[in-house]
């Protein structure tokens, strides 16, 4: 079993990472709701459980494949229930749009999951979870680069806190081995 030693640096790194995400979330977005925060927390916990359970599988591709089959079955059942209820989701959906959506959902996302499930086996669970906190930092940066959004003090401070948290949570031997000795 993957047991980790709880160290001061690890706890401090986790706290810095969480504080960074909170600064970005509440400092950048004006309409944060309790429901939105709860949904994001549920998403984060689900992702953590998915990752922890996935570490048990020898082949990351098979775990991802099985997960997508199960999710696909639920999507088909949900679609049939919507169709039987007489509700319409969208009347402007073209075959090309559906193809793009399926590609994004099935191919690119599945490949990302395979890479993640392969990588998470090589790092401690706490560090893997903390590195996931880089997503709320990268999303606004992409918005700045591609959508012309503004750099905010909250993004700079929160992003810095997340990066410090990741640095602190790394096992000491991982960066001591990377540092050349004189």
């Amino acid at each position: 079993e993957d047991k980790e030693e709880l160290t001061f640096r690890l706890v401090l790194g986790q706290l810095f990472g969480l504080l960074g995400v909170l600064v970005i979330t509440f400092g950048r977005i004006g309409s944060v709701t309790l429901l939105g925060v709860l949904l994001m927390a549920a998403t984060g916990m689900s992702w953590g459980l998915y990752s922890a359970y996935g570490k048990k599988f020898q082949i990351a591709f098979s775990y991802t494949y099985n997960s997508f089959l199960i999710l696909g079955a639920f999507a088909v059942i949900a679609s049939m229930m919507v169709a039987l209820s007489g509700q319409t989701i969208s009347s402007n959906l073209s075959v090309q749009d559906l193809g793009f959506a399926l590609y994004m959902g099935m191919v690119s996302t599945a490949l990302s999951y395979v890479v993640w499930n392969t990588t998470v086996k090589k790092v401690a669970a706490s560090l893997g979870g903390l590195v996931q906190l880089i997503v709320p930092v990268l999303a606004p940066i992409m918005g700045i680069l591609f959508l012309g959004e503004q750099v905010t003090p909250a993004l700079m401070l929160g992003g810095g806190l997340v990066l410090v948290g990741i640095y602190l949570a790394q096992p000491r031997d991982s960066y001591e081995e990377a540092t050349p000795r004189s």
Side-chain angles (χ1 to χ4, degrees):
E1 194 66 28
D2 294 331
K3 300 277 182 183
E4 289 185 64
E5 181 181 335
L6 191 61
T7 65
F8 177 73
R9 285 177 60 93
L10 177 61
V11 171
L12 192 61
Q14 296 287 333
L15 290 173
F16 268 85
L18 183 59
L19 180 62
V21 170
L22 289 173
V23 167
I24 291 170
T25 300
F26 292 103
R28 190 167 194 285
I29 303 170
S31 61
V32 175
T33 65
L34 178 60
L35 178 60
V37 171
L38 292 175
L39 288 172
M40 286 303 294
T43 300
M45 287 187 288
S46 298
W47 182 254
L49 292 171
Y50 176 82
S51 298
Y53 187 68
K55 285 182 97 169
K56 298 176 182 178
F57 287 79
Q58 294 294 323
I59 301 171
F61 178 80
S62 66
Y63 177 58
T64 303
Y65 179 77
N66 290 333
S67 299
F68 274 67
L69 284 179
I70 292 168
L71 184 61
F74 281 122
V76 167
I77 292 168
S79 298
M80 289 189 313
M81 290 174 64
V82 168
L84 290 174
S85 73
Q87 299 289 324
T88 58
I89 296 173
S90 173
S91 59
N92 298 330
L93 188 64
S94 71
V95 174
Q96 183 179 10
D97 292 340
L98 182 60
F100 283 140
L102 289 174
Y103 171 77
M104 291 302 294
M106 294 170 60
V107 177
S108 64
T109 303
L111 291 175
S112 300
Y113 279 35
V114 169
V115 170
W116 172 253
N117 287 327
T118 302
T119 304
V120 79
K121 291 178 185 176
K122 299 176 193 273
V123 298
S126 59
L127 184 59
L130 188 58
V131 170
Q132 278 294 105
L133 294 180
I134 200 78
V135 173
V137 177
L138 293 177
I141 289 173
M142 299 298 272
I144 291 165
L145 293 175
F146 296 113
L147 302 175
E149 292 186 15
Q150 298 297 314
V151 176
T152 64
L155 175 60
M156 292 172 48
L157 176 62
L161 289 169
V162 169
L163 293 175
V164 167
I166 293 170
Y167 173 77
L168 288 173
Q170 289 182 27
R172 290 187 71 75
D173 58 349
S174 69
Y175 59 82
E176 287 175 358
E177 289 174 5
T179 306
R181 299 185 196 276
S182 304

